[in-house]
Amino acid sequence: MIRVFLVDDQALVRAGFRALLDGEPDIAVVGEAADGEEAVELTRRHRPDVVLMDVRMPRTDGLRATARVSADPTLSATRVIVLTTFELDEYVFGALRAGAAGFLLKDIEPAELVEAVRIVAAGEALLAPRHTRRLIEAFVAQSGRAPADADDERLGELTAREREVLTLLAEGRSNREIARALTVSEKTVKTHVSSILLKLGLADRTQAAVYAVRQGL
């Protein structure tokens, strides 16, 4: 059972998410919070698998709350999905920096939200599929760093198949989607992703996606 915690300052939004997620046989909503401060406190108490975190809230906003959850060693198994209203809003970049496992736009379809919870609970990072490339490119531009050298020696350590996986990963595809595209098993894709992160010295899929865009992949 995937245990989910909801954070939003609007009770109606939380009620809608709860009704949607509790209707799934493999998902259970274990708690709610109306602001970031309460979210951190109750997340520590409930230890959910996934937190759905709004950004604009009183007291402590969603980005600061996400950073605190991500930095807490007792919550290492808890992953945060940040929900944002705007496609290229500054909060998206803040979510990446705060350690969110992914972000989604609030206008997604209900089925997409349910699938997003499952993807993140399975240990994958999630970027809004419709805007992934634009978001990452904007993040790279906003970071204030010069583009990485296209001849980065680390990139040369990847096999041809690993480069294919990295390119698809940068498009925001899940392991399942990459497996379908390359006609291999999900287990094989997971092995490739782990190898990519190790060779590139990166912490997660989001960092790998940003790296891929900076390399021109």
Side-chain angles (χ1 to χ4, degrees), residues 103-114:
F103 56 83
L104 292 171
L105 305 178
K106 280 190 173 180
D107 64 351
I108 63 170
E109 294 297 319
E112 291 180 291
L113 178 62
V114 172

Side-chain angles (χ1 to χ4, degrees), residues 138-207:
F139 173 67
V140 170
Q142 207 181 69
S143 69
R145 294 171 297 189
D149 186 346
D151 294 325
D152 189 326
E153 292 181 1
R154 293 177 299 170
L155 191 61
E157 294 180 13
L158 302 184
T159 65
R161 179 45 61 92
E162 287 170 348
R163 287 176 66 114
E164 287 182 298
V165 170
L166 180 59
T167 300
L168 293 172
L169 186 154
E171 294 175 2
R173 301 203 195 187
S174 67
N175 283 352
R176 182 182 306 172
E177 292 170 329
I178 295 173
R180 288 174 182 166
L182 299 180
T183 319
V184 296
S185 69
E186 284 188 59
K187 183 177 180 180
T188 297
V189 173
K190 289 181 179 179
T191 300
H192 285 315
V193 171
S194 296
S195 177
I196 289 167
L197 296 179
L198 181 63
K199 290 180 179 179
L200 298 181
L202 301 174
D204 55 40
R205 295 167 66 97
T206 301
Q207 288 187 9

Side-chain angles (χ1 to χ4, degrees), residues 25-106:
D26 58 335
I27 299 175
V29 175
V30 296
E32 301 178 12
D35 63 63
E37 199 65 32
E38 186 180 31
V40 175
E41 178 185 344
L42 294 180
T43 296
R44 286 171 176 157
R45 182 184 306 173
H46 291 288
R47 307 283 182 89
D49 301 302
V50 177
V51 176
L52 289 181
M53 182 82 74
D54 188 25
V55 171
R56 297 176 178 175
M57 295 182 294
R59 296 209 292 171
T60 299
D61 67 37
L63 297 187
R64 286 198 291 264
T66 296
R68 288 169 61 184
V69 169
S70 299
D72 190 332
T74 68
L75 297 175
S76 59
T78 296
R79 299 168 65 78
V80 180
I81 300 176
V82 170
L83 297 171
T84 182
T85 304
F86 304 104
E87 294 181 6
L88 290 177
D89 138 353
E90 68 212 51
Y91 297 121
V92 170
F93 312 125
L96 291 175
R97 296 188 185 100
F103 56 83
L104 292 171
L105 305 178
K106 280 190 173 180

